[in-house]
Amino acid sequence: MSGSEPARDAVDLVVVGAGAAGLATAIFAARAASGLRMVCLDGARHIGAKILVSGGSRCNVTNRRVTERDFWGGSSRAVRNVLRAFSAEDAAIFFNDLGVALHEEEGGKLFPDTNRSRTVLDALLRELRRLGVELRSGERVTDVDRGPDGLAVVTPHARYRTRCVVLATGGRSLPKSGSDGNGYELAARLGHGYVDTTPALAPLVLAGGRHAALSGVSHDVRLTVRVAGGATIHLDGALLWTHFGASGPVVLNASRHWHRARLDGRAVDVLVNLFPGDTFESLEAWFGAQALARPRAHVATVLATRLPAAVATTWTREAGLAEQPLAHLTRQSRRSLIHALLSSSLDVRDSRGYTVAEATAGGIPLDDVDPSTMASRSCDGVYLVGEMLDVDGRLGGFNFQWAWSSAWVAGHAIARALNGVARRAAGDVAPADAGATGRSAAGE
Ligand SMILES: Cc1cc2nc3c(=O)[nH]c(=O)nc-3n(C[C@H](O)[C@H](O)[C@H](O)COP(=O)(O)OP(=O)(O)OC[C@H]3O[C@@H](n4cnc5c(N)ncnc54)[C@H](O)[C@@H]3O)c2cc1C
């Protein structure tokens, strides 16, 4: 091809973005509609960077139990229908069939037995090759045109005429992987809306000196995100104190709520409870029993039997009770210490942003697609899948499950549409959407 004249290529399907959702959509479509020409384009030089870094390079592929309640963003009903069309169990079978056996860990998380995300990526790429889907890296799509002769996908090197386009360009998280949000522009030019995005599953930056002193310490807490004039969200799990603030599963899960509140211009408090299993009364009773049993012991020493020592010291110091023996604790100071243990404010300044966020909240409104096919409601022949949609899951394999489920729904709908076209072209008259490929998310 010459530098000035882009090549023209006619294909049946172009998938824009070869991340988890794009690769899986191509696989499901090619499995269900053989003999068609399908191309997967990705702007990145190396395919699958995000899959490789996922789950601490072990790829938490899905979760034993996934429901719409594990997600935020667009309509729960739509999310449920998509998840039911291709469940977590279906995902486990799919990977098992690809030679990737999974095992379960804490919280129902499923990982490959090899504990290497490379196994997951290689299996997807192998299957793509087996099915004859072309995969082109370093092909950043700059436009999707709809003209009188159908759809065209434009890159600096080529112009693909095609019947179907899948937009699977991801969100804004980990932009160096190639997911920098440019896909929202492509979708906007095709008539789609946009829900403002924020980082999700990101560590939080805190003010004050407490976190620096505790850096490296991890323990179970309950976080309460209290949004002025809005919802109050309670989240349980491990918090890891760091030199910049806080991380760990419970903090990552809280970050999207903090960001969404700020985006809406609402005041938001994040409160930490160091004794999520206790009440004010149970802690008072415990302190009372300890005072009788060990009157000379310091408050911090006693607290350190139930909390990491550094955390116990920090909270007693902040309450002005360092070096205070239990026997000298007044009723008033005991009660204010208990209040602080059960609810202390984290002075959140920001999150660490998209650079380290594991997901993106917001994106293309879920209402812009038909959840029974993932087809665009504003542009015929276009489908949207994965993280670019306004759906974000909590930590634990849920975001990948959204990628697999939405890919399955789109892949099968595309196969039905393309099969219908191919059969009609061959004179074999069949209803365009005969559902020959099995389930759809419609009405489930
Ligand atoms: C550090 C980290 C760890 C994670 N760990 C887990 C985990 O263990 N479990 C889990 O469930 N989720 C995890 N996630 C989230 C999960 O990786 C994502 O939700 C999922 O990969 C989204 O898949 P996607 O295909 O929709 O988007 P992406 O994976 O972001 O893929 C989009 C692709 O589109 C390409 N692209 C973008 N624009 C264009 C364009 N114009 N032309 C061509 N190509 C383009 C990009 O290069 C990219 O390859 C993690 C995320 C991160 C950042």
Side-chain angles (χ1 to χ4, degrees), residues 49-64:
K50 204 179 274 186
I51 295 177
L52 289 178
V53 298
S54 69
S57 302
R58 296 197 305 132
C59 189
N60 178 191
V61 175
T62 184
N63 199 285
R64 173 64 60 204

Side-chain angles (χ1 to χ4, degrees), residues 16-22 41-44 46 48-51 53-56 59-62 111 139-142 168-171 173-174 177-180 182-183 186 201 356-359 385-388 396-401 403:
V16 184
L41 306 175
D42 202 290
H46 301 288
K50 204 179 274 186
I51 295 177
V53 298
S54 69
C59 189
N60 178 191
V61 175
T62 184
F111 289 89
E139 281 275 280
R140 188 165 167 103
V141 171
T142 52
T169 50
S173 53
L174 205 68
S177 69
S179 317
D180 56 7
N182 78 91
L186 299 176
L201 302 182
V356 293
E358 293 197 12
V385 294
E387 195 174 314
M388 78 175 308
F398 302 98
N399 285 299
F400 275 138
Q401 184 58 45

Side-chain angles (χ1 to χ4, degrees), residues 163-211:
R163 295 180 194 285
C164 289
V165 174
V166 175
L167 293 181
T169 50
R172 297 184 193 276
S173 53
L174 205 68
K176 68 177 182 193
S177 69
S179 317
D180 56 7
N182 78 91
Y184 300 131
E185 271 287 310
L186 299 176
R189 277 184 241 141
L190 295 170
H192 296 102
Y194 176 71
V195 177
D196 282 337
T197 63
T198 56
L201 302 182
L204 292 175
V205 178
L206 304 179
R210 184 197 282 158
H211 55 272

Side-chain angles (χ1 to χ4, degrees), residues 140-153:
R140 188 165 167 103
V141 171
T142 52
D143 209 355
V144 178
D145 286 343
R146 45 178 170 176
D149 56 343
L151 292 161
V153 174

Side-chain angles (χ1 to χ4, degrees), residues 47-196:
I47 300 290
K50 204 179 274 186
I51 295 177
L52 289 178
V53 298
S54 69
S57 302
R58 296 197 305 132
C59 189
N60 178 191
V61 175
T62 184
N63 199 285
R64 173 64 60 204
R65 187 171 156 66
V66 180
T67 77
E68 68 279 9
R69 289 186 296 282
D70 300 305
F71 296 86
W72 304 93
S75 142
S76 288
R77 191 158 183 267
V79 171
R80 184 181 65 214
N81 287 345
V82 173
L83 294 172
R84 284 188 181 175
F86 189 78
S87 67
E89 197 181 344
D90 293 327
I93 293 168
F94 167 67
F95 279 103
N96 199 55
D97 290 347
L98 293 184
V100 183
L102 304 177
H103 67 272
E104 186 173 339
E105 296 190 10
E106 194 195 347
K109 295 178 188 169
L110 298 184
F111 289 89
D113 282 355
T114 57
N115 285 317
R116 294 180 66 231
S117 46
R118 167 66 64 188
T119 316
V120 174
L121 177 61
D122 285 352
L124 292 170
L125 296 179
R126 216 168 32 241
E127 182 65 357
L128 211 66
R129 269 197 304 277
R130 185 187 74 76
L131 292 162
V133 178
E134 286 174 56
L135 177 59
R136 298 188 182 173
S137 58
E139 281 275 280
R140 188 165 167 103
V141 171
T142 52
D143 209 355
V144 178
D145 286 343
R146 45 178 170 176
D149 56 343
L151 292 161
V153 174
V154 183
T155 79
H157 314 111
R159 181 181 173 87
Y160 300 85
R161 277 191 301 109
T162 182
R163 295 180 194 285
C164 289
V165 174
V166 175
L167 293 181
T169 50
R172 297 184 193 276
S173 53
L174 205 68
K176 68 177 182 193
S177 69
S179 317
D180 56 7
N182 78 91
Y184 300 131
E185 271 287 310
L186 299 176
R189 277 184 241 141
L190 295 170
H192 296 102
Y194 176 71
V195 177
D196 282 337

